[in-house]
Tab-separated table of all heavy atoms in Angstrom:
chain	number	residue	atom	x	y	z
G	355	MET	N	67.621	143.950	70.615
G	355	MET	CA	67.968	142.807	69.761
G	355	MET	C	66.836	141.774	69.646
G	355	MET	O	66.523	141.286	68.566
G	355	MET	CB	69.250	142.140	70.268
G	355	MET	CG	70.434	143.075	70.398
G	355	MET	SD	70.904	143.822	68.832
G	355	MET	CE	71.632	142.403	68.055
G	356	GLY	N	66.230	141.430	70.791
G	356	GLY	CA	65.145	140.437	70.760
G	356	GLY	C	63.958	140.957	69.961
G	356	GLY	O	63.323	140.221	69.197
G	357	THR	N	63.671	142.238	70.136
G	357	THR	CA	62.539	142.837	69.418
G	357	THR	C	62.798	142.828	67.910
G	357	THR	O	61.880	142.619	67.117
G	357	THR	CB	62.305	144.280	69.914
G	357	THR	OG1	62.076	144.218	71.314
G	357	THR	CG2	61.123	144.935	69.236
G	358	ILE	N	64.044	143.047	67.514
G	358	ILE	CA	64.359	143.022	66.088
G	358	ILE	C	64.000	141.649	65.523
G	358	ILE	O	63.317	141.538	64.498
G	358	ILE	CB	65.852	143.347	65.839
G	358	ILE	CG1	66.142	144.794	66.255
G	358	ILE	CG2	66.221	143.126	64.369
G	358	ILE	CD1	67.623	145.178	66.220
G	359	ALA	N	64.443	140.603	66.210
G	359	ALA	CA	64.118	139.248	65.741
G	359	ALA	C	62.603	139.050	65.723
G	359	ALA	O	62.049	138.458	64.791
G	359	ALA	CB	64.792	138.210	66.635
G	360	ARG	N	61.934	139.579	66.740
G	360	ARG	CA	60.473	139.387	66.826
G	360	ARG	C	59.728	140.078	65.684
G	360	ARG	O	58.823	139.492	65.099
G	360	ARG	CB	59.951	139.897	68.170
G	360	ARG	CG	59.730	138.767	69.180
G	360	ARG	CD	58.924	139.245	70.367
G	360	ARG	NE	59.656	140.265	71.080
G	360	ARG	CZ	60.633	139.989	71.942
G	360	ARG	NH1	60.938	138.741	72.220
G	360	ARG	NH2	61.285	140.954	72.534
G	361	ILE	N	60.117	141.316	65.357
G	361	ILE	CA	59.358	142.018	64.304
G	361	ILE	C	59.739	141.544	62.900
G	361	ILE	O	59.116	141.927	61.922
G	361	ILE	CB	59.468	143.563	64.396
G	361	ILE	CG1	60.912	144.023	64.186
G	361	ILE	CG2	58.894	144.069	65.708
G	361	ILE	CD1	61.020	145.534	63.978
G	362	TRP	N	60.783	140.715	62.804
G	362	TRP	CA	61.137	140.130	61.502
G	362	TRP	C	60.453	138.778	61.288
G	362	TRP	O	60.678	138.113	60.280
G	362	TRP	CB	62.659	139.960	61.386
G	362	TRP	CG	63.411	141.243	61.157
G	362	TRP	CD1	62.890	142.475	60.878
G	362	TRP	CD2	64.842	141.424	61.167
G	362	TRP	NE1	63.901	143.400	60.724
G	362	TRP	CE2	65.104	142.781	60.893
G	362	TRP	CE3	65.922	140.568	61.386
G	362	TRP	CZ2	66.397	143.302	60.830
G	362	TRP	CZ3	67.209	141.087	61.318
G	362	TRP	CH2	67.446	142.442	61.040
G	363	ARG	N	59.637	138.356	62.261
G	363	ARG	CA	59.041	137.016	62.114
G	363	ARG	C	57.884	136.986	61.117
G	363	ARG	O	57.488	135.931	60.650
G	363	ARG	CB	58.568	136.485	63.480
G	363	ARG	CG	59.728	136.128	64.388
G	363	ARG	CD	59.257	135.654	65.728
G	363	ARG	NE	58.414	136.641	66.397
G	363	ARG	CZ	57.907	136.498	67.611
G	363	ARG	NH1	58.138	135.396	68.289
G	363	ARG	NH2	57.171	137.450	68.143
G	364	GLN	N	57.317	138.151	60.826
G	364	GLN	CA	56.244	138.233	59.820
G	364	GLN	C	56.411	139.513	59.028
G	364	GLN	O	57.005	140.474	59.509
G	364	GLN	CB	54.859	138.234	60.488
G	364	GLN	CG	54.330	136.853	60.883
G	364	GLN	CD	54.239	135.879	59.712
G	364	GLN	OE1	54.003	136.284	58.584
G	364	GLN	NE2	54.457	134.609	59.988
G	365	GLY	N	55.843	139.538	57.835
G	365	GLY	CA	55.783	140.776	57.047
G	365	GLY	C	57.005	141.020	56.187
G	365	GLY	O	56.877	141.453	55.058
G	366	CYS	N	58.206	140.738	56.703
G	366	CYS	CA	59.397	141.113	55.934
G	366	CYS	C	59.889	139.949	55.074
G	366	CYS	O	59.423	138.822	55.190
G	366	CYS	CB	60.495	141.588	56.875
G	366	CYS	SG	61.158	140.295	57.908
G	367	ILE	N	60.862	140.260	54.223
G	367	ILE	CA	61.356	139.268	53.262
G	367	ILE	C	62.108	138.132	53.957
G	367	ILE	O	62.088	136.998	53.485
G	367	ILE	CB	62.278	139.960	52.208
G	367	ILE	CG1	61.529	141.098	51.496
G	367	ILE	CG2	62.825	138.958	51.197
G	367	ILE	CD1	60.345	140.701	50.665
G	368	ILE	N	62.798	138.402	55.063
G	368	ILE	CA	63.556	137.312	55.698
G	368	ILE	C	62.754	136.612	56.800
G	368	ILE	O	63.320	135.904	57.622
G	368	ILE	CB	64.927	137.799	56.240
G	368	ILE	CG1	64.758	138.844	57.344
G	368	ILE	CG2	65.804	138.327	55.109
G	368	ILE	CD1	66.088	139.160	58.057
G	369	ARG	N	61.433	136.799	56.807
G	369	ARG	CA	60.630	136.140	57.845
G	369	ARG	C	60.867	134.629	57.810
G	369	ARG	O	60.957	134.032	56.729
G	369	ARG	CB	59.159	136.477	57.685
G	369	ARG	CG	58.527	136.069	56.369
G	369	ARG	CD	57.122	136.652	56.320
G	369	ARG	NE	56.359	136.288	55.152
G	369	ARG	CZ	56.096	137.112	54.141
G	369	ARG	NH1	56.613	138.321	54.128
G	369	ARG	NH2	55.341	136.721	53.144
G	370	SER	N	60.987	134.039	58.982
G	370	SER	CA	61.307	132.618	59.040
G	370	SER	C	61.056	132.062	60.429
G	370	SER	O	60.975	132.809	61.404
G	370	SER	CB	62.791	132.410	58.711
G	370	SER	OG	63.582	132.937	59.769
G	371	ARG	N	60.970	130.761	60.487
G	371	ARG	CA	60.817	130.082	61.766
G	371	ARG	C	62.070	130.283	62.622
G	371	ARG	O	62.000	130.391	63.834
G	371	ARG	CB	60.605	128.589	61.489
G	371	ARG	CG	60.135	127.818	62.681
G	371	ARG	CD	59.782	126.386	62.314
G	371	ARG	NE	58.600	126.295	61.473
G	371	ARG	CZ	58.161	125.157	60.929
G	371	ARG	NH1	58.817	124.029	61.126
G	371	ARG	NH2	57.072	125.147	60.171
G	372	PHE	N	63.212	130.337	61.952
G	372	PHE	CA	64.487	130.483	62.658
G	372	PHE	C	64.515	131.769	63.505
G	372	PHE	O	65.112	131.808	64.587
G	372	PHE	CB	65.626	130.473	61.626
G	372	PHE	CG	66.994	130.695	62.193
G	372	PHE	CD1	67.475	129.904	63.223
G	372	PHE	CD2	67.817	131.689	61.687
G	372	PHE	CE1	68.753	130.108	63.748
G	372	PHE	CE2	69.094	131.896	62.202
G	372	PHE	CZ	69.551	131.109	63.231
G	373	LEU	N	63.847	132.824	63.027
G	373	LEU	CA	63.859	134.082	63.775
G	373	LEU	C	63.169	133.940	65.127
G	373	LEU	O	63.475	134.660	66.076
G	373	LEU	CB	63.216	135.201	62.951
G	373	LEU	CG	64.189	135.803	61.934
G	373	LEU	CD1	63.452	136.562	60.847
G	373	LEU	CD2	65.189	136.733	62.626
G	374	ASP	N	62.245	132.998	65.203
G	374	ASP	CA	61.595	132.699	66.469
G	374	ASP	C	62.639	132.187	67.465
G	374	ASP	O	62.618	132.545	68.641
G	374	ASP	CB	60.555	131.589	66.220
G	374	ASP	CG	59.239	131.893	66.895
G	374	ASP	OD1	59.089	133.009	67.417
G	374	ASP	OD2	58.379	130.996	66.884
G	375	GLU	N	63.551	131.347	66.969
G	375	GLU	CA	64.610	130.804	67.832
G	375	GLU	C	65.561	131.922	68.267
G	375	GLU	O	66.035	131.932	69.407
G	375	GLU	CB	65.390	129.703	67.102
G	375	GLU	CG	64.537	128.464	66.874
G	375	GLU	CD	65.263	127.366	66.095
G	375	GLU	OE1	66.505	127.318	66.129
G	375	GLU	OE2	64.559	126.560	65.462
G	376	ILE	N	65.827	132.849	67.349
G	376	ILE	CA	66.708	133.968	67.713
G	376	ILE	C	66.025	134.838	68.771
G	376	ILE	O	66.645	135.247	69.758
G	376	ILE	CB	67.080	134.812	66.475
G	376	ILE	CG1	67.828	133.942	65.454
G	376	ILE	CG2	67.929	136.017	66.864
G	376	ILE	CD1	68.277	134.679	64.208
G	377	ALA	N	64.724	135.103	68.559
G	377	ALA	CA	63.978	135.919	69.527
G	377	ALA	C	64.024	135.248	70.907
G	377	ALA	O	64.287	135.918	71.915
G	377	ALA	CB	62.540	136.113	69.063
G	378	SER	N	63.816	133.940	70.957
G	378	SER	CA	63.841	133.232	72.247
G	378	SER	C	65.227	133.310	72.872
G	378	SER	O	65.364	133.456	74.085
G	378	SER	CB	63.482	131.752	72.082
G	378	SER	OG	62.270	131.640	71.422
G	379	ALA	N	66.260	133.201	72.018
G	379	ALA	CA	67.631	133.260	72.547
G	379	ALA	C	67.865	134.602	73.236
G	379	ALA	O	68.456	134.659	74.317
G	379	ALA	CB	68.635	133.057	71.414
G	380	TYR	N	67.395	135.695	72.630
G	380	TYR	CA	67.573	137.012	73.252
G	380	TYR	C	66.647	137.201	74.448
G	380	TYR	O	66.977	137.934	75.382
G	380	TYR	CB	67.378	138.141	72.228
G	380	TYR	CG	68.603	138.360	71.375
G	380	TYR	CD1	68.630	137.979	70.039
G	380	TYR	CD2	69.758	138.938	71.915
G	380	TYR	CE1	69.762	138.165	69.253
G	380	TYR	CE2	70.896	139.131	71.138
G	380	TYR	CZ	70.892	138.747	69.811
G	380	TYR	OH	72.018	138.929	69.048
G	381	ASP	N	65.467	136.540	74.431
G	381	ASP	CA	64.582	136.618	75.601
G	381	ASP	C	65.280	136.000	76.807
G	381	ASP	O	65.232	136.524	77.911
G	381	ASP	CB	63.272	135.855	75.340
G	381	ASP	CG	62.330	136.671	74.472
G	381	ASP	OD1	62.571	137.891	74.343
G	381	ASP	OD2	61.367	136.094	73.924
G	382	GLU	N	65.939	134.863	76.549
G	382	GLU	CA	66.621	134.170	77.645
G	382	GLU	C	67.824	134.960	78.139
G	382	GLU	O	68.138	134.948	79.317
G	382	GLU	CB	67.097	132.793	77.169
G	382	GLU	CG	66.071	131.706	77.440
G	382	GLU	CD	66.381	130.440	76.664
G	382	GLU	OE1	67.557	130.043	76.608
G	382	GLU	OE2	65.433	129.858	76.102
G	383	LYS	N	68.497	135.616	77.208
G	383	LYS	CA	69.712	136.340	77.596
G	383	LYS	C	69.811	137.626	76.776
G	383	LYS	O	70.392	137.644	75.700
G	383	LYS	CB	70.944	135.443	77.331
G	383	LYS	CG	72.158	135.837	78.137
G	383	LYS	CD	73.236	134.770	78.035
G	383	LYS	CE	74.418	135.048	78.933
G	383	LYS	NZ	74.993	136.373	78.853
G	384	PRO	N	69.195	138.718	77.275
G	384	PRO	CA	69.134	139.947	76.485
G	384	PRO	C	70.509	140.490	76.081
G	384	PRO	O	70.624	141.172	75.075
G	384	PRO	CB	68.411	140.932	77.416
G	384	PRO	CG	67.644	140.069	78.362
G	384	PRO	CD	68.448	138.820	78.537
G	385	ASP	N	71.552	140.177	76.864
G	385	ASP	CA	72.870	140.698	76.495
G	385	ASP	C	73.738	139.628	75.814
G	385	ASP	O	74.970	139.662	75.908
G	385	ASP	CB	73.593	141.260	77.729
G	385	ASP	CG	73.820	140.180	78.778
G	385	ASP	OD1	73.191	139.112	78.680
G	385	ASP	OD2	74.633	140.410	79.702
G	386	LEU	N	73.080	138.734	75.122
G	386	LEU	CA	73.782	137.653	74.397
G	386	LEU	C	74.896	138.241	73.517
G	386	LEU	O	74.641	139.111	72.689
G	386	LEU	CB	72.745	136.926	73.535
G	386	LEU	CG	73.164	135.643	72.828
G	386	LEU	CD1	73.509	134.565	73.843
G	386	LEU	CD2	72.020	135.146	71.933
G	387	GLN	N	76.120	137.747	73.688
G	387	GLN	CA	77.254	138.299	72.941
G	387	GLN	C	77.302	137.804	71.502
G	387	GLN	O	77.797	138.489	70.617
G	387	GLN	CB	78.564	137.922	73.635
G	387	GLN	CG	78.818	138.710	74.900
G	387	GLN	CD	78.954	140.199	74.619
G	387	GLN	OE1	79.865	140.622	73.915
G	387	GLN	NE2	78.031	140.994	75.135
G	388	SER	N	76.844	136.571	71.292
G	388	SER	CA	76.868	136.004	69.945
G	388	SER	C	75.784	134.943	69.865
G	388	SER	O	75.568	134.197	70.829
G	388	SER	CB	78.224	135.367	69.665
G	388	SER	OG	78.118	134.508	68.547
G	389	LEU	N	75.129	134.860	68.722
G	389	LEU	CA	74.099	133.819	68.558
G	389	LEU	C	74.699	132.431	68.743
G	389	LEU	O	74.017	131.506	69.170
G	389	LEU	CB	73.470	133.920	67.165
G	389	LEU	CG	72.435	135.014	66.955
G	389	LEU	CD1	71.895	134.936	65.535
G	389	LEU	CD2	71.295	134.888	67.948
G	390	TYR	N	75.991	132.277	68.414
G	390	TYR	CA	76.627	130.972	68.567
G	390	TYR	C	76.590	130.480	70.013
G	390	TYR	O	76.718	129.291	70.281
G	390	TYR	CB	78.106	131.051	68.143
G	390	TYR	CG	78.333	131.160	66.648
G	390	TYR	CD1	79.171	132.147	66.133
G	390	TYR	CD2	77.761	130.259	65.763
G	390	TYR	CE1	79.411	132.242	64.773
G	390	TYR	CE2	77.997	130.355	64.395
G	390	TYR	CZ	78.825	131.346	63.910
G	390	TYR	OH	79.069	131.435	62.565
G	391	LEU	N	76.465	131.412	70.966
G	391	LEU	CA	76.503	131.031	72.381
G	391	LEU	C	75.144	130.571	72.901
G	391	LEU	O	75.065	129.991	73.975
G	391	LEU	CB	76.991	132.214	73.232
G	391	LEU	CG	78.418	132.710	72.961
G	391	LEU	CD1	78.708	133.956	73.784
G	391	LEU	CD2	79.428	131.614	73.301
G	392	ALA	N	74.084	130.834	72.162
G	392	ALA	CA	72.745	130.456	72.647
G	392	ALA	C	72.603	128.933	72.565
G	392	ALA	O	72.855	128.350	71.511
G	392	ALA	CB	71.679	131.138	71.800
G	393	PRO	N	72.206	128.278	73.669
G	393	PRO	CA	72.165	126.808	73.687
G	393	PRO	C	71.336	126.187	72.555
G	393	PRO	O	71.797	125.241	71.909
G	393	PRO	CB	71.569	126.488	75.057
G	393	PRO	CG	71.879	127.681	75.904
G	393	PRO	CD	71.890	128.867	74.993
G	394	THR	N	70.151	126.716	72.259
G	394	THR	CA	69.318	126.097	71.212
G	394	THR	C	69.978	126.242	69.838
G	394	THR	O	69.928	125.334	69.005
G	394	THR	CB	67.929	126.776	71.122
G	394	THR	OG1	68.129	128.186	71.149
G	394	THR	CG2	67.022	126.354	72.252
G	395	ILE	N	70.611	127.399	69.626
G	395	ILE	CA	71.253	127.626	68.328
G	395	ILE	C	72.520	126.773	68.223
G	395	ILE	O	72.819	126.214	67.165
G	395	ILE	CB	71.495	129.131	68.113
G	395	ILE	CG1	70.109	129.775	67.894
G	395	ILE	CG2	72.410	129.398	66.924
G	395	ILE	CD1	70.054	131.251	67.895
G	396	ALA	N	73.231	126.616	69.349
G	396	ALA	CA	74.436	125.782	69.348
G	396	ALA	C	74.072	124.338	68.980
G	396	ALA	O	74.763	123.680	68.196
G	396	ALA	CB	75.102	125.828	70.714
G	397	GLU	N	72.947	123.888	69.528
G	397	GLU	CA	72.521	122.517	69.240
G	397	GLU	C	72.249	122.347	67.744
G	397	GLU	O	72.658	121.384	67.109
G	397	GLU	CB	71.234	122.269	70.019
G	397	GLU	CG	71.014	120.846	70.443
G	397	GLU	CD	69.823	120.796	71.388
G	397	GLU	OE1	69.897	121.408	72.486
G	397	GLU	OE2	68.807	120.204	71.000
G	398	ARG	N	71.564	123.330	67.171
G	398	ARG	CA	71.252	123.298	65.742
G	398	ARG	C	72.529	123.360	64.890
G	398	ARG	O	72.662	122.668	63.898
G	398	ARG	CB	70.376	124.498	65.405
G	398	ARG	CG	69.179	124.099	64.674
G	398	ARG	CD	68.303	125.174	64.197
G	398	ARG	NE	66.935	124.955	64.639
G	398	ARG	CZ	66.248	123.853	64.462
G	398	ARG	NH1	66.767	122.818	63.843
G	398	ARG	NH2	65.020	123.739	64.892
G	399	MET	N	73.462	124.221	65.319
G	399	MET	CA	74.689	124.395	64.538
G	399	MET	C	75.521	123.120	64.565
G	399	MET	O	76.090	122.724	63.550
G	399	MET	CB	75.496	125.585	65.087
G	399	MET	CG	76.639	126.002	64.182
G	399	MET	SD	76.006	126.479	62.535
G	399	MET	CE	77.464	127.089	61.730
G	400	LYS	N	75.577	122.478	65.747
G	400	LYS	CA	76.367	121.238	65.845
G	400	LYS	C	75.794	120.172	64.931
G	400	LYS	O	76.525	119.382	64.337
G	400	LYS	CB	76.358	120.736	67.288
G	400	LYS	CG	77.299	121.506	68.177
G	400	LYS	CD	77.309	120.913	69.559
G	400	LYS	CE	78.127	121.758	70.506
G	400	LYS	NZ	78.073	121.264	71.875
G	401	ASP	N	74.483	120.161	64.800
G	401	ASP	CA	73.840	119.180	63.927
G	401	ASP	C	74.057	119.528	62.447
G	401	ASP	O	74.221	118.643	61.612
G	401	ASP	CB	72.331	119.160	64.248
G	401	ASP	CG	71.576	118.269	63.284
G	401	ASP	OD1	71.773	117.036	63.360
G	401	ASP	OD2	70.813	118.800	62.434
G	402	ALA	N	74.054	120.838	62.141
G	402	ALA	CA	74.053	121.259	60.735
G	402	ALA	C	75.443	121.442	60.127
G	402	ALA	O	75.630	121.224	58.923
G	402	ALA	CB	73.258	122.564	60.594
G	403	ALA	N	76.420	121.824	60.943
G	403	ALA	CA	77.741	122.175	60.391
G	403	ALA	C	78.380	121.045	59.571
G	403	ALA	O	78.943	121.308	58.498
G	403	ALA	CB	78.670	122.646	61.511
G	404	PRO	N	78.286	119.767	60.027
G	404	PRO	CA	78.887	118.709	59.194
G	404	PRO	C	78.239	118.631	57.804
G	404	PRO	O	78.916	118.314	56.820
G	404	PRO	CB	78.624	117.427	59.994
G	404	PRO	CG	78.426	117.896	61.411
G	404	PRO	CD	77.777	119.241	61.307
Side-chain angles (χ1 to χ4, degrees):
M355 305 299 287
T357 302
I358 294 173
R360 260 193 297 280
I361 63 168
W362 285 351
R363 289 178 303 183
Q364 279 303 329
C366 68
I367 303 296
I368 63 170
R369 60 188 183 254
S370 69
R371 193 173 292 174
F372 177 54
L373 279 162
D374 225 8
E375 292 178 25
I376 299 182
S378 306
Y380 280 108
D381 282 344
E382 268 165 43
K383 202 169 186 310
D385 61 345
L386 188 64
Q387 286 298 297
S388 163
L389 282 182
Y390 287 130
L391 297 175
T394 46
I395 290 170
E397 210 171 297
R398 231 185 233 307
M399 191 59 174
K400 282 183 186 176
D401 174 69

